[in-house]
Amino acid sequence: MTVRRDFKEPARCRPDLVIGREELVTSARDQLTRGGSVLLHGPAGIGKSTVLRALAADYGEAARTVLRCSATESESHLPFLALADLFGLVLDEISDKLPAAQRTALESALTGRGESTLQRDGLALRLAVLSALRVLAAAGPVLLVADDLQWLDSASAELLGFAARRLGDTPVQLLCAVRTEGQEYDRHLRASPPDTLAVRLNPLSRNQVSALLDHRGYTDLPRSTVREIHRTSGGNPLFALELGRALGENPTPPRPGEPLPVPTSLRALVLSRLDMLSDEARRTLLVASAGARPTLALLHAAGRENAEAETAQAAALGLLATEPEGPAVRFAHPLISAALYAEAPALERRVAHAALSTAASDPIERARNLAMATTGTDPEVAARLAEAAALARDRGAPSVAASLGLLAARHTPPDGTPGPDEHRLCAAEDAITAGEVDLARDIAREVLTRATVPADRIRAWEVVIEAAGQALGDVDAVFPQALADAGDDPRLLALVHYHLAWRKLIVEGDFSEARQEAAHAAELAARGDDRRTELMALSFQSSTETLMGHPNAPATIKQAMREPQDPYVACHHNGVGAARFRWLMMSDQLPEARSTITALLREVRRRGMVESEVHFQRFLAETELRSGHCGRALDLARESLRLARDSGIGLGASAMLASLAEASGGDVGQALALAREAAGRAEEDGDQMYLSRALAALGHAQFVAGDAAGAVGSLRRVRELEQGLGITDPARGRWQGDLAEALVRVGEPGEAQDVIAVTREHALRLDRESVLAVLDRAEALVRAALGDHEGALSRLTSVQDRLAKLGYGLEEARAAFALARLRTGRPGPTSYDEAARLFRRCRALPWLRQVDEAAAQGASQPSALTAQTPPSDALAGLAAMERQVAALVMEGATNREIAARLFISVKTVEATLTRVYRKLGIRSRVDIVRLAAGRHAK
C-alpha cells in the first residue's frame, strides 16, 4: 500500500521498543537518515516487527511514498503477492510512465488479467520493478517496508532483489525484517541495496525483561519469578510476555521447584514437531526436561536405554541443540523444555522425577527430584530436603537453598520436628541472602499469620524489616509489635534494638541516637550470649562513630574485631570487615582498603550473598576512584549498578557511586541523571543518610559540568543536612573542597574561606591528611581570587606533591590543572601538559576535555584566576569575581566569552553582572564601559 506525507503508524507498540533496544534503534535511525537501508533480523518473537513499525513511523514522515508488504507462511506459495501489496495501489500512477513492454508485464503480474511468469517475462518484469521505483523516487523519497522476508513469495523476492541491487543513487530505501537463527541472514542481505545495515535483535537481559513486564502491567511478580521468566523465555520478549500473562491469569503460582506454566499459544508454537517423535523418544525428552543438567549418562541411569538414538531424533527435528563434543543434552530453546514438561500428565512427571531421584549423582538434585516425585507429607523426604538446603547454603547457592527449604516445609507434617514454619523461616533468610526480598517478605508474612513462639515471630519480623531495605519508614508499624513479641528476652530484644538503631539513622537521621541504640543492642546481645548480634551491633556502632568523627571509633572497631568472630558477620556488608574498610578509606590507607574489600567481595560471591556483593562492588569502585583509576572505577560502578537494578537492592547507593564515577571517567550528563535518581530514591525512602551522599554526588557532577552555581546550591544543602545529622568527619563525603572551589567561581571567596576553616578544624582533629590537602588546594584558589597569586602558586605546588604521595591520583591531577590555569598569562611555564598527562593516566576523560579547552583558550588569553581588575575606585566595593567580570566587560568581552575565560557558566556571568549593577547603581554593560572611559580620562 502507499501512504503520502501524512504517513502515521499507530504508536501502541512503541513504548516497548525502547526497552533494551535503544542503541540498535539509534544506529538504524542514523542509517536511514543518511539515506541507507536497514535489514532487521533475529529469531521469532524477538521484536523485529515492533522495531520495524516504530522505525517506519519515525522515518515514514520523511518519505513522499511508503510502500508496505507483510508476508505470511500460508501465502508464500502465491506468486507476485508481495509485489501486488507493494505496487497495487500506485499502479495507476506509474503505469503510463513505463515502457509498454514493462507496463504490460507488470500489470499482468499485479492484476492477474494476463498470464505472466518469470520464465516468460523475466527481463521485462525485472526492469518494470526497477523502473517503477525510479518513477516514484523522481517525485520524492521512497521507503519500502517489508516484514517477514522469509515468507516472501519467491517471484517477488527475486524481482525486489534485482531492483535493490541496481538502485544506485536513486532515493529509495528499504526497511526490512527477516526471521533468522544465528547469523543466517546473508542471503537476504545479498538481495538488499549495497549500503544496507544488518541489525541483529538479541535476547533481552533480565533487567530488560523485568522492565517489559512492568510496562505491560505485570508488576506484582516476585523477582525470583521474573528470573525464571527470563530463563524460560531465553530473553525473547514475546515469550516473556506470554509467560507473564499466563502467570497473571493463574490464581495459583507454581510451587517451589516447578517450572512456569506455559500458555497454550506458546506450547503450540514450540511443540509443533513433538508429534513427529516416537513415544519412547518423548519420554526420554520428558526426563531430560525434569533434570537440572541432563546428560546422556544421566538419561541412561534413569532407565532410558536408547537415549542416544532418541535424542538424535529430537535433534534432527530441531528440539535439541546438537553438541557433538559435549555430553550435555541441551534443548534448542529453554521454552521447549518448559512446554514439554507442562504438556505431560502429572503422573508421567512424577515417574520422571522418581527415576532421577536415584540416577542423579548430586545430593541436592536427588533430593529435589525426590520431592517432586512425592505427594503429601513425608518426614524422611523433608529431612533430606533440609540437608540439601544446608548443602546448597554451604556451596554459596542461597536461592537454591530457599527453594529446597520451601519444598521441605511442604513435605513436613504439621506436628513434625522441626516444624514447617522452621523450614519456611530458613527459606526466608536464604532468600534475603540471595537478594530475593519479595519472596522472603511473602514467606515471613505467611509465618506471622500463625506463629505463636516469640523467637519465630522475631525471626519473621527481622525478615520483614530487612526486606524493606533503605525504606525503613515503610515498616514503622513493625517495631512496636516486635518489641512486644520480644518481651524481656535479652537475645530477642537485642535483635529488635539493632534494627531500631538503623531506623534512627536512616529514617530520623540521628547519628547520636543510632549510636546509643547500637550500643544498647550490643549489651543486650552479650547478656543473652548472642555473639552474632553483638558483633553486628558493635560493627554498626563503630561505623556510626567513624562517620560522626567520634573519639571512641577506634576503640569500638577493636572491640568488634576481638575473638571469637562469626564468619557470617565477618563478611557481611554491615559487619566488622566492612566497618574496618570504611575506617581504612577515611584514614587514607587506600592499598590496605583495596585488599580488604577485594577479599570481602571474593568471600560474599562464594557464599552467594547478593546484597553484600552489591555493596562491596560499590566499595571497590570507590576505592579505585579515590586512587585515580577512573576507568576501572567506572567499570565496577556500572557493574554494581547493573547488579543493584537486577536484584532491587542498594539502587540509590549504587546510582550515587556510579554518578561519581561517570563524572570522573565517563559521561557527565549521565552523572547528573544518576545523581538525581539517587537523590530521588533517598527522598522517596526517607533516607536522610544517603540523601546527603546523593546530593554531594550531584554537586560534584554539576561542578565538573561547569555549573558552579548549581554545585553551590546542592553542596550548601549537603552542609545543612550533615550538620543536622551530626556528621563531622569530612572524609565521609569529601564534598567540602568542591563547595569551596565552586564558591570561588561564583564570586564568594569569603564563604569559601569559611567552609575551608570549619572543615580544616575537623580534619586536623581526625588526622585526615588527604582532606587537608584538598582544602589547601581550594584555599590557593581563594588566595588567587583575592590577588595573592604567589601564595596561591606556592600552595598548589605543595598540594600536588602531598596528594601524589598519598596515592590520590585524580586529586593530584586536579591540583596540577589548577596550577596550570593559575600560571596562564604570567611569566614562566604555562603548559597544561602535566595536567593532561595526569588526567590521561587516570582515564579522567571529562577532566581531560576541560584541560584541552583551557589550553586552547589560554594560548591567547590571560588566566581567569589572574585577570587584572581595573584600579578604579568605583569597583573597590565589588567581590573578586565581580571585579573580574566587570574588567572583562570593560575589555568588550561578551557574556559567553567571559564565561569561557573564567570557566563559569553564562548564567553565573549574568547573575554576577546583576549584582554588579546593583552595587554600582547602574543599569547596563554600557554604564560599566563608561566607568572605564571616565577612569582613562583622568
Side-chain angles (χ1 to χ4, degrees):
M1 74 182 210
T2 302
V3 184
R4 299 293 181 186
R5 293 181 182 274
D6 59 349
F7 172 85
K8 204 73 174 178
E9 177 73 11
R12 58 178 176 80
C13 61
R14 297 187 64 198
D16 293 345
L17 168 68
V18 299
I19 299 173
R21 308 298 192 199
E22 296 87 348
E23 290 187 11
L24 69 86
V25 169
T26 299
S27 64
R29 284 195 182 118
D30 291 345
Q31 172 74 356
L32 291 169
T33 301
R34 290 191 295 266
S37 297
V38 172
L39 175 68
L40 305 170
H41 64 100
I46 203 68
K48 302 181 298 298
S49 296
T50 300
V51 175
L52 184 84
R53 287 194 295 268
L55 288 171
D58 284 347
Y59 194 72
E61 297 177 356
R64 177 187 179 274
T65 304
V66 178
L67 308 175
R68 298 180 65 90
C69 72
S70 182
T72 63
E73 184 176 13
S74 62
E75 298 173 339
S76 60
H77 66 285
L78 300 174
F80 306 121
L81 183 61
L83 203 67
D85 286 342
L86 291 169
F87 294 104
L89 296 180
V90 295
L91 184 58
D92 292 342
E93 177 183 343
I94 62 175
S95 61
D96 60 346
K97 299 175 184 176
L98 301 178
Q102 296 179 22
R103 179 172 63 250
T104 301
L106 185 60
E107 288 177 348
S108 178
L110 297 186
T111 64
R113 287 196 294 266
E115 188 174 336
S116 180
T117 65
L118 276 179
Q119 288 74 25
R120 194 183 72 182
D121 300 320
L123 181 58
L125 270 175
R126 288 173 172 82
L127 294 174
V129 172
L130 180 59
S131 298
L133 290 173
R134 286 173 173 165
V135 167
L136 291 170
V142 175
L143 178 66
L144 191 154
V145 182
D147 199 1
D148 283 319
L149 282 184
Q150 74 278 2
W151 304 132
L152 220 63
D153 64 274
S154 58
S156 297
E158 166 64 24
L159 293 170
L160 288 174
F162 175 88
R165 292 189 295 271
R166 290 164 175 80
L167 285 170
D169 296 331
T170 306
V172 176
Q173 296 169 264
L174 272 64
L175 174 59
C176 306
V178 60
R179 181 188 303 179
T180 58
E181 297 297 334
Q183 298 294 323
E184 300 167 2
Y185 62 93
D186 291 349
R187 176 169 60 88
H188 301 283
L189 193 59
R190 286 195 297 270
S192 302
D195 63 347
T196 298
L197 173 69
V199 177
R200 177 167 179 80
L201 276 70
N202 291 313
L204 300 180
S205 69
R206 190 194 308 177
N207 279 342
Q208 292 161 352
V209 166
S210 178
L212 179 62
L213 292 167
D214 286 346
H215 172 68
R216 288 297 183 93
Y218 307 122
T219 55
D220 297 328
L221 298 173
R223 281 192 170 80
S224 55
T225 302
V226 173
R227 182 182 61 198
E228 189 61 20
I229 288 175
H230 177 258
R231 188 196 67 79
T232 304
S233 69
N236 185 296
L238 172 64
F239 297 171
L241 287 171
E242 285 296 296
L243 291 168
R245 181 181 61 79
L247 284 167
E249 295 173 354
N250 189 351
T252 306
R255 294 185 300 180
E258 289 185 345
L260 297 176
V262 180
T264 304
S265 58
L266 291 186
R267 293 190 203 181
L269 180 64
V270 300
L271 299 180
S272 57
R273 286 161 287 187
L274 196 63
D275 292 339
M276 301 173 68
L277 284 174
S278 66
D279 290 343
E280 289 302 310
R282 185 166 181 155
R283 291 190 186 98
T284 296
L285 287 195
L286 177 60
V287 175
S289 71
R293 292 174 296 278
T295 62
L296 288 172
L298 178 65
L299 294 176
H300 278 299
R304 307 312 302 167
E305 298 177 356
N306 298 316
E308 285 91 348
E310 289 159 356
T311 55
Q313 181 186 1
L317 293 171
L319 294 168
L320 294 180
T322 55
E323 302 237 358
E325 303 299 328
V329 175
R330 187 168 62 86
F331 284 89
H333 192 281
L335 189 62
I336 296 175
S337 173
L340 178 66
Y341 187 92
E343 191 83 0
L347 178 59
E348 290 187 18
R349 294 187 207 173
R350 288 197 295 273
V351 169
H353 284 296
L356 289 168
S357 69
T358 58
S361 59
D362 184 79
I364 292 176
E365 188 63 7
R366 287 199 301 271
R368 186 186 74 85
N369 279 290
L370 180 60
M372 301 303 293
T374 305
T375 57
T377 59
D378 186 321
E380 183 179 344
V381 172
R384 287 184 59 181
L385 285 164
E387 292 171 2
L391 180 58
R393 200 175 297 124
D394 291 341
R395 288 181 179 177
S399 181
V400 174
S403 176
L404 292 167
L406 290 175
L407 284 171
R410 192 175 100 199
H411 289 287
T412 300
D415 57 351
T417 303
D421 281 347
E422 170 66 22
H423 293 305
R424 291 189 181 96
L425 286 169
C426 286
E429 290 162 352
D430 286 328
I432 283 287
T433 302
E436 305 285 357
V437 292
D438 295 337
L439 175 62
R441 180 174 49 245
D442 291 345
I443 297 170
R445 291 287 187 187
E446 180 189 353
V447 170
L448 285 166
T449 60
R450 55 178 173 269
T452 57
V453 177
D456 289 347
R457 293 187 63 80
I458 293 299
R459 282 179 71 186
W461 286 128
E462 266 205 294
V463 171
V464 172
I465 293 168
E466 290 195 25
Q470 300 295 106
L472 284 179
D474 294 347
V475 291
D476 264 349
V478 165
F479 293 101
Q481 299 176 69
L483 285 170
D485 285 334
D488 57 1
D489 187 327
R491 290 175 63 93
L492 302 182
L493 284 171
L495 289 168
V496 179
H497 280 282
Y498 170 71
H499 289 293
L500 277 170
W502 277 104
R503 186 194 172 282
K504 289 286 186 183
L505 180 63
I506 291 175
V507 178
E508 297 183 16
D510 193 326
F511 271 68
S512 179
E513 287 288 330
R515 173 182 173 271
Q516 292 177 28
E517 281 283 7
H520 184 42
E523 293 169 5
L524 287 167
R527 198 188 318 159
D529 198 25
D530 180 359
R531 182 60 172 162
R532 173 173 289 190
T533 303
E534 181 187 9
L535 287 171
M536 291 294 288
L538 286 171
S539 300
F540 177 86
Q541 181 185 345
S542 66
S543 294
T544 306
E545 289 173 348
T546 298
L547 295 174
M548 295 172 66
H550 197 284
N552 289 0
T556 307
I557 290 176
K558 288 181 181 178
Q559 185 182 356
M561 294 181 68
R562 288 175 188 161
E563 297 294 338
Q565 285 294 314
D566 182 287
Y568 173 81
V569 178
C571 65
H572 192 274
H573 59 279
N574 290 323
V576 63
R580 181 170 178 272
F581 163 77
R582 292 186 186 94
W583 174 258
L584 291 169
M585 282 288 287
M586 296 174 74
S587 302
D588 298 326
Q589 300 179 58
L590 294 180
E592 193 171 352
R594 182 186 292 106
S595 62
T596 298
I597 200 60
T598 300
L600 287 170
L601 182 59
R602 187 185 306 117
E603 178 62 15
V604 298
R605 282 175 173 165
R606 186 188 71 79
R607 289 171 171 263
M609 299 169 66
V610 174
E611 183 172 8
S612 294
E613 182 182 355
V614 171
H615 291 295
F616 289 161
Q617 183 101 348
R618 174 169 55 85
F619 290 168
L620 182 57
E622 183 178 2
T623 308
E624 299 295 350
L625 192 59
R626 297 288 176 216
S627 303
H629 306 149
C630 298
R632 171 71 173 150
L634 185 59
D635 291 341
L636 288 166
R638 286 173 174 171
E639 176 62 20
S640 173
L641 184 60
R642 184 202 64 75
L643 186 60
R645 294 198 194 285
D646 192 29
S647 64
I649 295 171
L651 275 169
S654 294
M656 175 274 298
L657 199 280
S659 170
L660 291 172
E662 291 283 357
S664 298
D667 184 294
V668 179
Q670 182 71 359
L672 291 165
L674 286 167
R676 291 188 175 104
E677 176 189 341
R681 287 187 180 278
E683 295 266 23
E684 184 179 339
D685 292 342
D687 185 345
Q688 297 296 302
M689 183 174 67
Y690 265 111
L691 178 59
S692 67
R693 295 294 306 273
L695 289 172
L698 177 59
H700 179 71
Q702 290 168 321
F703 182 79
V704 176
D707 181 9
V712 167
S714 297
L715 297 176
R716 277 174 175 165
R717 191 177 173 198
V718 175
R719 180 174 56 184
E720 294 169 4
L721 280 169
E722 294 203 351
Q723 287 173 349
L725 290 168
I727 297 174
T728 60
D729 194 330
R732 186 244 184 182
R734 299 175 182 267
W735 48 266
Q736 296 85 352
D738 283 345
L739 175 56
E741 291 189 33
L743 285 166
V744 170
R745 290 194 182 187
V746 299
E748 298 290 350
E751 185 182 346
Q753 188 61 56
D754 290 342
V755 170
I756 292 167
V758 171
T759 307
R760 180 177 283 131
E761 181 182 348
H762 293 300
L764 286 168
R765 174 174 59 85
L766 297 167
D767 194 25
R768 301 296 189 236
E769 181 57 33
S770 64
V771 173
L772 289 168
V774 169
L775 291 174
D776 285 350
R777 184 183 69 205
E779 189 168 49
L781 302 182
V782 173
R783 289 189 178 188
L786 297 176
D788 182 8
H789 309 297
E790 297 305 325
L793 285 167
S794 174
R795 176 154 296 201
L796 277 175
T797 303
S798 168
V799 164
Q800 184 179 343
D801 292 340
R802 286 157 58 196
L803 289 169
K805 290 176 182 177
L806 289 168
Y808 284 78
L810 184 59
E811 299 295 351
E812 176 196 356
R814 287 181 62 178
F817 187 23
L819 193 58
R821 291 167 74 173
L822 196 62
R823 285 172 172 163
T824 301
R826 296 176 59 81
T830 61
S831 174
Y832 284 88
D833 291 348
E834 173 69 0
R837 181 185 69 81
L838 292 173
F839 281 130
R840 195 174 293 111
R841 183 184 68 183
C842 295
R843 270 193 61 193
L845 302 183
W847 287 102
L848 195 57
R849 283 190 287 271
Q850 288 193 36
V851 172
D852 291 341
E853 293 170 4
Q857 294 166 352
S860 59
Q861 296 173 352
S863 167
L865 294 173
T866 60
Q868 298 298 308
T869 57
S872 170
D873 294 340
L875 305 186
L878 299 181
M881 178 63 73
E882 293 165 353
R883 290 199 303 274
Q884 292 177 38
V885 171
L888 291 170
V889 169
M890 290 175 178
E891 294 176 11
T894 66
N895 286 3
R896 187 170 298 279
E897 291 169 342
I898 294 171
R901 290 173 67 174
L902 297 182
F903 305 101
I904 57 178
S905 68
V906 174
K907 287 186 177 180
T908 301
V909 174
E910 293 168 351
T912 303
L913 281 174
T914 300
R915 292 196 300 273
V916 169
Y917 299 157
R918 185 175 64 250
K919 288 182 179 181
L920 298 182
I922 59 179
R923 296 182 179 181
S924 68
R925 296 167 58 93
V926 175
D927 292 331
I928 296 179
V929 175
R930 286 172 179 163
L931 284 174
R935 185 196 67 208
H936 291 309
K938 290 181 181 179

